[in-house]
């Protein structure tokens, strides 16, 4: 019998995406359908999510007072799969992004917005909404972290769903003052070390990790790394005590969106047998980033510009990159001082460094299809998707050996090159020396066209579709139900 899952998240591509979370949540329904799992996605009713719903559908449920504001439940579709939306204008009818105003400042009431969202998700999955029944509630990241806690502290119900909490990014934890607890409508006993209490305040991700039946993160290496203080960011103790319930399931890529042979954003489509067509895309990258035309390698970056992503080290390495005859095309947005550092670099090296600050989905596809290599010097990376897109597009990933980057790229050492299995370049520790060393190695390998093509082809032949990981999530859900 088909198993039903409510996938609860603050983003899902193509309706709302600020990063990898959106990609993964958007891909899960199609990834799980072949394994007999029906996924319904549950999203907050941001203006662009509501705009995508067909007008006129009657609400499935109404909350007169959901932690302080009225709300209703609407139904729609996302990429051919079922979608539920929490329409709560008091919380979500705002200009700006999912988490902050148009200037990028976080909303002051995020704690209440995502508590209300999680409360509603727990109601939907827990049987409080007529007609809705789920075997599993799958919560993603801190914005949904209270949902497993609301279910856990609800009165016992015979067919309560099992719960899964997935960590996409442990750096964002949803940590608030103890003063908000009274407004969360949880029983007093929930404010405890093994409940939602976190270092004297309230922790949303912590609450989910403590309450869920299973914890997953998005690569096996990262699942091990978060047991240590360097990567656990304060949650390592809790994760260690629940270690038996933790697993790492690597993200796949949505091949309906990311296939160079069928990508509508590309001037020239291609596959592993027609790699020479990438030259047309490379010319388009040069134009889009005001780079001098040339045969030397173009390194690209598609990233949030933050400390996590090692962007400060990259900014330092730009002169060395240019000195080796390479060019850089960077698309990203994030911390103001990093944006400024890259603007300065583009001014200092016109024709060699091109920078586009902002978010541009189509341009991110072009960069993967026209650049020679993608630089990912992350200090930590739960899985990473841009290296997977790079592999699929013949844009060779140059990555720090951490988290999912370590799990998905085969380093071009002599043995891997001789065996023809190398798919990219890895380097240890995110320092200036190691990054410049990796850029130098990539530039040298690129100069040997035959060898470079072998690396590109090996990456393109690797399977990062959802086939394997979809099966692993389905088995996890089934194990929880059998337990
Ligand atoms: N300026 C821009 N314009 C257009 N597109 C841009 C962009 N900046 C970034 N993107 C896109 O956003 C996504 C980023 O995904 P990642 O997985 O690389 O990192 P992120 O840290 O957001 O995700 C977190 O969650 C995911 C999902 O689990 C984990 O893979 C990851 O390790 C974890 O940090 C990619 O689709 C990328 O192309």
């Amino acid at each position: 019998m088909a198993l039903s899952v409510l996938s609860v998240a603050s983003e899902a591509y193509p309706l709302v995406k600020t990063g990898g979370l959106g990609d993964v949540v958007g891909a899960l329904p199609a990834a799980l359908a072949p394994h007999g799992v029906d996924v319904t996605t549950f999203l907050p009713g941001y203006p662009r999510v509501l705009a995508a719903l067909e007008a006129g559908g009657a609400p499935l449920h109404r909350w007169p007072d959901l932690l302080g504001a009225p709300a209703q439940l609407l139904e729609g579709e996302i990429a051919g799969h079922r979608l539920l939306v929490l329409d709560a204008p008091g919380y979500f009818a705002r200009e700006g992004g999912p988490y902050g105003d148009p200037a990028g400042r976080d909303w002051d009431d995020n704690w209440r917005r995502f508590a209300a969202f999680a409360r509603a998700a727990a109601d939907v999955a827990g049987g409080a909404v007529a007609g809705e029944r789920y075997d599993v509630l799958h919560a993603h990241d801190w914005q949904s972290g209270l949902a497993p806690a609301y279910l856990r502290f609800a009165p016992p119900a015979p067919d309560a769903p099992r719960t899964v909490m997935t960590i996409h990014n442990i750096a964002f934890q949803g940590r608030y003052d103890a003063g908000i607890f009274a407004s969360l409508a949880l029983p007093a006993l929930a404010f405890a070390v093994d409940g939602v209490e976190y270092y004297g305040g309230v922790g949303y991700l912590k609450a989910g990790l403590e309450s869920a039946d299973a914890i997953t993160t998005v690569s096996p290496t990262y699942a091990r790394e978060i047991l240590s203080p360097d990567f656990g960011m304060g949650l390592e103790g809790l994760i260690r005590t629940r270690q038996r319930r933790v697993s790492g399931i690597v993200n796949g890529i949505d091949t309906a969106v990311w296939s160079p042979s069928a990508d509508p954003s590309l001037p020239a489509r291609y596959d592993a047998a027609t790699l020479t067509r990438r030259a047309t895309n490379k010319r388009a990258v040069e134009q889009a980033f005001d780079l001098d035309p040339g045969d030397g390698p173009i390194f690209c970056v598609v990233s949030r510009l933050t400390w996590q992503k090692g962007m400060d080290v990259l900014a330092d390495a730009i002169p060395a990159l240019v000195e080796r005859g390479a060019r850089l095309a960077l698309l990203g947005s994030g911390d103001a001082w990093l944006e400024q550092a890259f603007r300065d670099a583009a001014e200092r090296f016109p024709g060699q460094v091109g920078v586009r600050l902002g978010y541009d989905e189509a341009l991110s596809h072009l960069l993967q299809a026209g650049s020679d290599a993608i630089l990912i010097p992350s200090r930590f990376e739960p899985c990473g998707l841009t290296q997977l897109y790079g592999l699929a597009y013949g844009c060779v990933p140059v990555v720090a050996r951490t988290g999912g980057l370590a799990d998905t790229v085969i380093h071009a050492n002599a043995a891997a090159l001789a065996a023809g299995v190398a798919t990219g370049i890895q380097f240890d520790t995110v320092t200036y020396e190691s990054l410049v060393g990796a850029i130098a190695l990539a530039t040298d390998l690129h100069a040997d066209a035959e060898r470079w093509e072998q690396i590109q082809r090996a990456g393109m032949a690797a399977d990062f579709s959802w086939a394997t990981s979809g099966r692993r999530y389905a088995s996890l859900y089934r194990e929880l139900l059998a337990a």
Side-chain angles (χ1 to χ4, degrees), residues 349-382:
F349 300 109
Q352 259 111 26
V353 175
V355 170
R356 295 289 170 268
L357 297 174
Y359 193 92
D360 189 330
E361 192 75 23
L363 197 54
S364 76
H365 284 241
L366 175 66
L367 280 170
Q368 298 278 14
S371 311
D372 297 287
I374 181 161
L375 292 173
I376 314 179
S378 303
R379 289 192 168 88
F380 68 95
E381 198 59 80

PDB file of all heavy atoms in Angstrom, residues 349-382:
ATOM      1  N   PHE A 349      40.524  43.615 -11.852  1.00  0.00           N
ATOM      2  CA  PHE A 349      40.921  42.711 -12.945  1.00  0.00           C
ATOM      3  C   PHE A 349      39.861  42.688 -14.044  1.00  0.00           C
ATOM      4  O   PHE A 349      39.230  41.652 -14.275  1.00  0.00           O
ATOM      5  CB  PHE A 349      41.135  41.289 -12.411  1.00  0.00           C
ATOM      6  CG  PHE A 349      42.195  41.164 -11.366  1.00  0.00           C
ATOM      7  CD1 PHE A 349      41.866  40.904 -10.037  1.00  0.00           C
ATOM      8  CD2 PHE A 349      43.544  41.301 -11.694  1.00  0.00           C
ATOM      9  CE1 PHE A 349      42.847  40.783  -9.061  1.00  0.00           C
ATOM     10  CE2 PHE A 349      44.530  41.178 -10.724  1.00  0.00           C
ATOM     11  CZ  PHE A 349      44.187  40.923  -9.397  1.00  0.00           C
ATOM     12  N   PRO A 350      39.655  43.828 -14.733  1.00  0.00           N
ATOM     13  CA  PRO A 350      38.606  43.832 -15.757  1.00  0.00           C
ATOM     14  C   PRO A 350      38.957  42.833 -16.871  1.00  0.00           C
ATOM     15  O   PRO A 350      40.124  42.692 -17.232  1.00  0.00           O
ATOM     16  CB  PRO A 350      38.640  45.283 -16.289  1.00  0.00           C
ATOM     17  CG  PRO A 350      39.978  45.820 -15.904  1.00  0.00           C
ATOM     18  CD  PRO A 350      40.396  45.098 -14.655  1.00  0.00           C
ATOM     19  N   GLY A 351      37.962  42.129 -17.355  1.00  0.00           N
ATOM     20  CA  GLY A 351      38.203  41.143 -18.410  1.00  0.00           C
ATOM     21  C   GLY A 351      38.631  39.791 -17.871  1.00  0.00           C
ATOM     22  O   GLY A 351      38.563  38.777 -18.561  1.00  0.00           O
ATOM     23  N   GLN A 352      39.093  39.769 -16.610  1.00  0.00           N
ATOM     24  CA  GLN A 352      39.535  38.502 -16.023  1.00  0.00           C
ATOM     25  C   GLN A 352      38.609  38.018 -14.909  1.00  0.00           C
ATOM     26  O   GLN A 352      38.513  36.831 -14.653  1.00  0.00           O
ATOM     27  CB  GLN A 352      40.940  38.658 -15.430  1.00  0.00           C
ATOM     28  CG  GLN A 352      42.022  38.101 -16.297  1.00  0.00           C
ATOM     29  CD  GLN A 352      42.877  39.204 -16.873  1.00  0.00           C
ATOM     30  OE1 GLN A 352      42.985  40.280 -16.289  1.00  0.00           O
ATOM     31  NE2 GLN A 352      43.468  38.941 -18.009  1.00  0.00           N
ATOM     32  N   VAL A 353      37.969  38.981 -14.262  1.00  0.00           N
ATOM     33  CA  VAL A 353      37.050  38.636 -13.180  1.00  0.00           C
ATOM     34  C   VAL A 353      35.720  39.326 -13.458  1.00  0.00           C
ATOM     35  O   VAL A 353      35.675  40.550 -13.623  1.00  0.00           O
ATOM     36  CB  VAL A 353      37.613  39.095 -11.815  1.00  0.00           C
ATOM     37  CG1 VAL A 353      36.597  38.851 -10.701  1.00  0.00           C
ATOM     38  CG2 VAL A 353      38.926  38.375 -11.512  1.00  0.00           C
ATOM     39  N   GLY A 354      34.667  38.526 -13.550  1.00  0.00           N
ATOM     40  CA  GLY A 354      33.329  39.076 -13.760  1.00  0.00           C
ATOM     41  C   GLY A 354      32.433  38.671 -12.602  1.00  0.00           C
ATOM     42  O   GLY A 354      32.459  37.522 -12.161  1.00  0.00           O
ATOM     43  N   VAL A 355      31.655  39.626 -12.093  1.00  0.00           N
ATOM     44  CA  VAL A 355      30.857  39.366 -10.895  1.00  0.00           C
ATOM     45  C   VAL A 355      29.420  39.802 -11.136  1.00  0.00           C
ATOM     46  O   VAL A 355      29.177  40.906 -11.632  1.00  0.00           O
ATOM     47  CB  VAL A 355      31.466  40.137  -9.697  1.00  0.00           C
ATOM     48  CG1 VAL A 355      30.543  40.105  -8.501  1.00  0.00           C
ATOM     49  CG2 VAL A 355      32.834  39.555  -9.334  1.00  0.00           C
ATOM     50  N   ARG A 356      28.477  38.946 -10.844  1.00  0.00           N
ATOM     51  CA  ARG A 356      27.053  39.318 -10.864  1.00  0.00           C
ATOM     52  C   ARG A 356      26.500  39.059  -9.476  1.00  0.00           C
ATOM     53  O   ARG A 356      26.434  37.908  -9.037  1.00  0.00           O
ATOM     54  CB  ARG A 356      26.270  38.486 -11.892  1.00  0.00           C
ATOM     55  CG  ARG A 356      26.680  38.737 -13.321  1.00  0.00           C
ATOM     56  CD  ARG A 356      26.231  40.135 -13.812  1.00  0.00           C
ATOM     57  NE  ARG A 356      26.821  40.459 -15.102  1.00  0.00           N
ATOM     58  CZ  ARG A 356      27.982  41.113 -15.280  1.00  0.00           C
ATOM     59  NH1 ARG A 356      28.679  41.539 -14.228  1.00  0.00           N
ATOM     60  NH2 ARG A 356      28.443  41.347 -16.478  1.00  0.00           N
ATOM     61  N   LEU A 357      26.136  40.133  -8.783  1.00  0.00           N
ATOM     62  CA  LEU A 357      25.593  39.993  -7.429  1.00  0.00           C
ATOM     63  C   LEU A 357      24.077  39.908  -7.536  1.00  0.00           C
ATOM     64  O   LEU A 357      23.455  40.734  -8.190  1.00  0.00           O
ATOM     65  CB  LEU A 357      26.011  41.189  -6.575  1.00  0.00           C
ATOM     66  CG  LEU A 357      27.535  41.299  -6.392  1.00  0.00           C
ATOM     67  CD1 LEU A 357      27.903  42.582  -5.669  1.00  0.00           C
ATOM     68  CD2 LEU A 357      28.086  40.087  -5.641  1.00  0.00           C
ATOM     69  N   GLY A 358      23.512  38.886  -6.929  1.00  0.00           N
ATOM     70  CA  GLY A 358      22.067  38.707  -7.001  1.00  0.00           C
ATOM     71  C   GLY A 358      21.756  37.239  -7.189  1.00  0.00           C
ATOM     72  O   GLY A 358      22.656  36.393  -7.097  1.00  0.00           O
ATOM     73  N   TYR A 359      20.509  36.977  -7.440  1.00  0.00           N
ATOM     74  CA  TYR A 359      20.060  35.596  -7.574  1.00  0.00           C
ATOM     75  C   TYR A 359      19.480  35.419  -8.965  1.00  0.00           C
ATOM     76  O   TYR A 359      18.591  36.154  -9.359  1.00  0.00           O
ATOM     77  CB  TYR A 359      18.995  35.292  -6.510  1.00  0.00           C
ATOM     78  CG  TYR A 359      18.730  33.835  -6.402  1.00  0.00           C
ATOM     79  CD1 TYR A 359      19.433  33.046  -5.496  1.00  0.00           C
ATOM     80  CD2 TYR A 359      17.812  33.216  -7.256  1.00  0.00           C
ATOM     81  CE1 TYR A 359      19.225  31.692  -5.431  1.00  0.00           C
ATOM     82  CE2 TYR A 359      17.609  31.857  -7.192  1.00  0.00           C
ATOM     83  CZ  TYR A 359      18.314  31.098  -6.272  1.00  0.00           C
ATOM     84  OH  TYR A 359      18.116  29.757  -6.217  1.00  0.00           O
ATOM     85  N   ASP A 360      20.007  34.483  -9.752  1.00  0.00           N
ATOM     86  CA  ASP A 360      19.566  34.334 -11.135  1.00  0.00           C
ATOM     87  C   ASP A 360      19.663  32.864 -11.543  1.00  0.00           C
ATOM     88  O   ASP A 360      20.734  32.349 -11.844  1.00  0.00           O
ATOM     89  CB  ASP A 360      20.458  35.209 -12.034  1.00  0.00           C
ATOM     90  CG  ASP A 360      19.948  35.289 -13.462  1.00  0.00           C
ATOM     91  OD1 ASP A 360      19.311  34.315 -13.936  1.00  0.00           O
ATOM     92  OD2 ASP A 360      20.199  36.320 -14.110  1.00  0.00           O
ATOM     93  N   GLU A 361      18.513  32.220 -11.518  1.00  0.00           N
ATOM     94  CA  GLU A 361      18.453  30.777 -11.787  1.00  0.00           C
ATOM     95  C   GLU A 361      19.001  30.440 -13.189  1.00  0.00           C
ATOM     96  O   GLU A 361      19.827  29.541 -13.343  1.00  0.00           O
ATOM     97  CB  GLU A 361      16.987  30.327 -11.638  1.00  0.00           C
ATOM     98  CG  GLU A 361      16.758  28.848 -11.587  1.00  0.00           C
ATOM     99  CD  GLU A 361      17.133  28.186 -10.263  1.00  0.00           C
ATOM    100  OE1 GLU A 361      17.191  28.841  -9.201  1.00  0.00           O
ATOM    101  OE2 GLU A 361      17.420  26.983 -10.309  1.00  0.00           O
ATOM    102  N   ALA A 362      18.557  31.176 -14.209  1.00  0.00           N
ATOM    103  CA  ALA A 362      18.977  30.856 -15.582  1.00  0.00           C
ATOM    104  C   ALA A 362      20.489  31.040 -15.740  1.00  0.00           C
ATOM    105  O   ALA A 362      21.170  30.219 -16.367  1.00  0.00           O
ATOM    106  CB  ALA A 362      18.224  31.730 -16.577  1.00  0.00           C
ATOM    107  N   LEU A 363      21.020  32.098 -15.154  1.00  0.00           N
ATOM    108  CA  LEU A 363      22.463  32.354 -15.251  1.00  0.00           C
ATOM    109  C   LEU A 363      23.250  31.251 -14.539  1.00  0.00           C
ATOM    110  O   LEU A 363      24.358  30.889 -14.960  1.00  0.00           O
ATOM    111  CB  LEU A 363      22.765  33.729 -14.644  1.00  0.00           C
ATOM    112  CG  LEU A 363      24.105  34.384 -14.990  1.00  0.00           C
ATOM    113  CD1 LEU A 363      24.322  34.477 -16.487  1.00  0.00           C
ATOM    114  CD2 LEU A 363      24.190  35.779 -14.363  1.00  0.00           C
ATOM    115  N   SER A 364      22.686  30.693 -13.472  1.00  0.00           N
ATOM    116  CA  SER A 364      23.383  29.606 -12.772  1.00  0.00           C
ATOM    117  C   SER A 364      23.489  28.380 -13.681  1.00  0.00           C
ATOM    118  O   SER A 364      24.499  27.673 -13.673  1.00  0.00           O
ATOM    119  CB  SER A 364      22.692  29.265 -11.446  1.00  0.00           C
ATOM    120  OG  SER A 364      21.513  28.518 -11.635  1.00  0.00           O
ATOM    121  N   HIS A 365      22.485  28.150 -14.498  1.00  0.00           N
ATOM    122  CA  HIS A 365      22.561  27.026 -15.453  1.00  0.00           C
ATOM    123  C   HIS A 365      23.631  27.302 -16.517  1.00  0.00           C
ATOM    124  O   HIS A 365      24.412  26.425 -16.879  1.00  0.00           O
ATOM    125  CB  HIS A 365      21.198  26.812 -16.120  1.00  0.00           C
ATOM    126  CG  HIS A 365      20.188  26.142 -15.238  1.00  0.00           C
ATOM    127  ND1 HIS A 365      19.611  24.928 -15.537  1.00  0.00           N
ATOM    128  CD2 HIS A 365      19.638  26.526 -14.055  1.00  0.00           C
ATOM    129  CE1 HIS A 365      18.750  24.591 -14.576  1.00  0.00           C
ATOM    130  NE2 HIS A 365      18.748  25.552 -13.672  1.00  0.00           N
ATOM    131  N   LEU A 366      23.635  28.547 -17.033  1.00  0.00           N
ATOM    132  CA  LEU A 366      24.621  28.891 -18.070  1.00  0.00           C
ATOM    133  C   LEU A 366      26.045  28.726 -17.540  1.00  0.00           C
ATOM    134  O   LEU A 366      26.926  28.216 -18.243  1.00  0.00           O
ATOM    135  CB  LEU A 366      24.394  30.332 -18.551  1.00  0.00           C
ATOM    136  CG  LEU A 366      25.445  30.828 -19.547  1.00  0.00           C
ATOM    137  CD1 LEU A 366      25.363  30.044 -20.863  1.00  0.00           C
ATOM    138  CD2 LEU A 366      25.299  32.329 -19.821  1.00  0.00           C
ATOM    139  N   LEU A 367      26.277  29.149 -16.301  1.00  0.00           N
ATOM    140  CA  LEU A 367      27.626  29.035 -15.738  1.00  0.00           C
ATOM    141  C   LEU A 367      28.088  27.584 -15.691  1.00  0.00           C
ATOM    142  O   LEU A 367      29.235  27.270 -16.016  1.00  0.00           O
ATOM    143  CB  LEU A 367      27.676  29.643 -14.338  1.00  0.00           C
ATOM    144  CG  LEU A 367      27.798  31.161 -14.297  1.00  0.00           C
ATOM    145  CD1 LEU A 367      27.600  31.677 -12.877  1.00  0.00           C
ATOM    146  CD2 LEU A 367      29.161  31.612 -14.829  1.00  0.00           C
ATOM    147  N   GLN A 368      27.185  26.687 -15.302  1.00  0.00           N
ATOM    148  CA  GLN A 368      27.558  25.266 -15.235  1.00  0.00           C
ATOM    149  C   GLN A 368      27.828  24.717 -16.632  1.00  0.00           C
ATOM    150  O   GLN A 368      28.656  23.826 -16.819  1.00  0.00           O
ATOM    151  CB  GLN A 368      26.425  24.451 -14.583  1.00  0.00           C
ATOM    152  CG  GLN A 368      26.111  24.842 -13.135  1.00  0.00           C
ATOM    153  CD  GLN A 368      27.043  24.208 -12.112  1.00  0.00           C
ATOM    154  OE1 GLN A 368      28.097  23.664 -12.465  1.00  0.00           O
ATOM    155  NE2 GLN A 368      26.684  24.304 -10.842  1.00  0.00           N
ATOM    156  N   ALA A 369      27.149  25.267 -17.626  1.00  0.00           N
ATOM    157  CA  ALA A 369      27.248  24.726 -18.988  1.00  0.00           C
ATOM    158  C   ALA A 369      28.389  25.335 -19.783  1.00  0.00           C
ATOM    159  O   ALA A 369      28.785  24.779 -20.808  1.00  0.00           O
ATOM    160  CB  ALA A 369      25.929  24.956 -19.723  1.00  0.00           C
ATOM    161  N   GLY A 370      28.922  26.485 -19.332  1.00  0.00           N
ATOM    162  CA  GLY A 370      29.925  27.162 -20.131  1.00  0.00           C
ATOM    163  C   GLY A 370      31.264  27.342 -19.440  1.00  0.00           C
ATOM    164  O   GLY A 370      32.284  27.560 -20.096  1.00  0.00           O
ATOM    165  N   SER A 371      31.298  27.232 -18.108  1.00  0.00           N
ATOM    166  CA  SER A 371      32.573  27.364 -17.401  1.00  0.00           C
ATOM    167  C   SER A 371      33.301  26.023 -17.447  1.00  0.00           C
ATOM    168  O   SER A 371      32.688  24.979 -17.653  1.00  0.00           O
ATOM    169  CB  SER A 371      32.354  27.762 -15.941  1.00  0.00           C
ATOM    170  OG  SER A 371      31.471  28.845 -15.853  1.00  0.00           O
ATOM    171  N   ASP A 372      34.618  26.072 -17.218  1.00  0.00           N
ATOM    172  CA  ASP A 372      35.393  24.827 -17.226  1.00  0.00           C
ATOM    173  C   ASP A 372      35.341  24.131 -15.876  1.00  0.00           C
ATOM    174  O   ASP A 372      35.357  22.911 -15.808  1.00  0.00           O
ATOM    175  CB  ASP A 372      36.839  25.150 -17.617  1.00  0.00           C
ATOM    176  CG  ASP A 372      36.891  25.725 -19.023  1.00  0.00           C
ATOM    177  OD1 ASP A 372      36.702  24.954 -19.978  1.00  0.00           O
ATOM    178  OD2 ASP A 372      37.060  26.957 -19.161  1.00  0.00           O
ATOM    179  N   ALA A 373      35.287  24.915 -14.813  1.00  0.00           N
ATOM    180  CA  ALA A 373      35.340  24.319 -13.478  1.00  0.00           C
ATOM    181  C   ALA A 373      34.535  25.186 -12.519  1.00  0.00           C
ATOM    182  O   ALA A 373      34.357  26.383 -12.750  1.00  0.00           O
ATOM    183  CB  ALA A 373      36.787  24.224 -13.000  1.00  0.00           C
ATOM    184  N   ILE A 374      34.043  24.565 -11.448  1.00  0.00           N
ATOM    185  CA  ILE A 374      33.312  25.325 -10.421  1.00  0.00           C
ATOM    186  C   ILE A 374      34.067  25.211  -9.104  1.00  0.00           C
ATOM    187  O   ILE A 374      34.472  24.113  -8.693  1.00  0.00           O
ATOM    188  CB  ILE A 374      31.843  24.865 -10.294  1.00  0.00           C
ATOM    189  CG1 ILE A 374      31.115  25.687  -9.226  1.00  0.00           C
ATOM    190  CG2 ILE A 374      31.692  23.356 -10.018  1.00  0.00           C
ATOM    191  CD1 ILE A 374      29.595  25.646  -9.325  1.00  0.00           C
ATOM    192  N   LEU A 375      34.288  26.354  -8.457  1.00  0.00           N
ATOM    193  CA  LEU A 375      35.056  26.394  -7.204  1.00  0.00           C
ATOM    194  C   LEU A 375      34.107  26.345  -6.011  1.00  0.00           C
ATOM    195  O   LEU A 375      33.183  27.162  -5.908  1.00  0.00           O
ATOM    196  CB  LEU A 375      35.858  27.698  -7.127  1.00  0.00           C
ATOM    197  CG  LEU A 375      37.010  27.854  -8.127  1.00  0.00           C
ATOM    198  CD1 LEU A 375      37.581  29.277  -8.031  1.00  0.00           C
ATOM    199  CD2 LEU A 375      38.093  26.825  -7.846  1.00  0.00           C
ATOM    200  N   ILE A 376      34.352  25.397  -5.096  1.00  0.00           N
ATOM    201  CA  ILE A 376      33.497  25.261  -3.905  1.00  0.00           C
ATOM    202  C   ILE A 376      34.382  25.052  -2.678  1.00  0.00           C
ATOM    203  O   ILE A 376      34.581  23.925  -2.210  1.00  0.00           O
ATOM    204  CB  ILE A 376      32.493  24.095  -4.071  1.00  0.00           C
ATOM    205  CG1 ILE A 376      31.831  24.160  -5.453  1.00  0.00           C
ATOM    206  CG2 ILE A 376      31.450  24.123  -2.949  1.00  0.00           C
ATOM    207  CD1 ILE A 376      30.849  23.039  -5.742  1.00  0.00           C
ATOM    208  N   PRO A 377      34.947  26.154  -2.133  1.00  0.00           N
ATOM    209  CA  PRO A 377      35.859  26.014  -0.991  1.00  0.00           C
ATOM    210  C   PRO A 377      35.131  26.066   0.362  1.00  0.00           C
ATOM    211  O   PRO A 377      35.536  26.791   1.268  1.00  0.00           O
ATOM    212  CB  PRO A 377      36.779  27.234  -1.174  1.00  0.00           C
ATOM    213  CG  PRO A 377      35.934  28.261  -1.881  1.00  0.00           C
ATOM    214  CD  PRO A 377      34.869  27.527  -2.649  1.00  0.00           C
ATOM    215  N   SER A 378      34.086  25.272   0.530  1.00  0.00           N
ATOM    216  CA  SER A 378      33.244  25.372   1.732  1.00  0.00           C
ATOM    217  C   SER A 378      33.969  24.899   2.985  1.00  0.00           C
ATOM    218  O   SER A 378      34.676  23.896   2.966  1.00  0.00           O
ATOM    219  CB  SER A 378      31.989  24.513   1.567  1.00  0.00           C
ATOM    220  OG  SER A 378      31.273  24.894   0.433  1.00  0.00           O
ATOM    221  N   ARG A 379      33.741  25.613   4.089  1.00  0.00           N
ATOM    222  CA  ARG A 379      34.295  25.168   5.382  1.00  0.00           C
ATOM    223  C   ARG A 379      33.482  23.992   5.908  1.00  0.00           C
ATOM    224  O   ARG A 379      34.001  23.111   6.578  1.00  0.00           O
ATOM    225  CB  ARG A 379      34.272  26.309   6.381  1.00  0.00           C
ATOM    226  CG  ARG A 379      35.307  27.374   6.031  1.00  0.00           C
ATOM    227  CD  ARG A 379      35.475  28.347   7.177  1.00  0.00           C
ATOM    228  NE  ARG A 379      36.643  29.175   6.981  1.00  0.00           N
ATOM    229  CZ  ARG A 379      36.639  30.326   6.301  1.00  0.00           C
ATOM    230  NH1 ARG A 379      35.527  30.776   5.768  1.00  0.00           N
ATOM    231  NH2 ARG A 379      37.742  31.018   6.152  1.00  0.00           N
ATOM    232  N   PHE A 380      32.172  24.005   5.668  1.00  0.00           N
ATOM    233  CA  PHE A 380      31.368  22.804   5.918  1.00  0.00           C
ATOM    234  C   PHE A 380      30.296  22.755   4.840  1.00  0.00           C
ATOM    235  O   PHE A 380      29.889  23.796   4.315  1.00  0.00           O
ATOM    236  CB  PHE A 380      30.759  22.784   7.325  1.00  0.00           C
ATOM    237  CG  PHE A 380      29.698  23.809   7.579  1.00  0.00           C
ATOM    238  CD1 PHE A 380      28.357  23.509   7.423  1.00  0.00           C
ATOM    239  CD2 PHE A 380      30.039  25.094   7.994  1.00  0.00           C
ATOM    240  CE1 PHE A 380      27.376  24.467   7.663  1.00  0.00           C
ATOM    241  CE2 PHE A 380      29.068  26.053   8.237  1.00  0.00           C
ATOM    242  CZ  PHE A 380      27.734  25.739   8.080  1.00  0.00           C
ATOM    243  N   GLU A 381      29.895  21.568   4.461  1.00  0.00           N
ATOM    244  CA  GLU A 381      28.917  21.425   3.389  1.00  0.00           C
ATOM    245  C   GLU A 381      28.132  20.140   3.602  1.00  0.00           C
ATOM    246  O   GLU A 381      28.607  19.050   3.305  1.00  0.00           O
ATOM    247  CB  GLU A 381      29.625  21.396   2.025  1.00  0.00           C
ATOM    248  CG  GLU A 381      28.720  21.687   0.849  1.00  0.00           C
ATOM    249  CD  GLU A 381      28.059  23.064   0.946  1.00  0.00           C
ATOM    250  OE1 GLU A 381      28.700  24.076   0.614  1.00  0.00           O
ATOM    251  OE2 GLU A 381      26.889  23.101   1.392  1.00  0.00           O
ATOM    252  N   PRO A 382      26.931  20.264   4.167  1.00  0.00           N
ATOM    253  CA  PRO A 382      26.142  19.059   4.460  1.00  0.00           C
ATOM    254  C   PRO A 382      26.047  18.126   3.249  1.00  0.00           C
ATOM    255  O   PRO A 382      26.307  16.937   3.362  1.00  0.00           O
ATOM    256  CB  PRO A 382      24.785  19.630   4.862  1.00  0.00           C
ATOM    257  CG  PRO A 382      25.142  20.964   5.485  1.00  0.00           C
ATOM    258  CD  PRO A 382      26.287  21.482   4.679  1.00  0.00           C
TER     259      PRO A 382
END
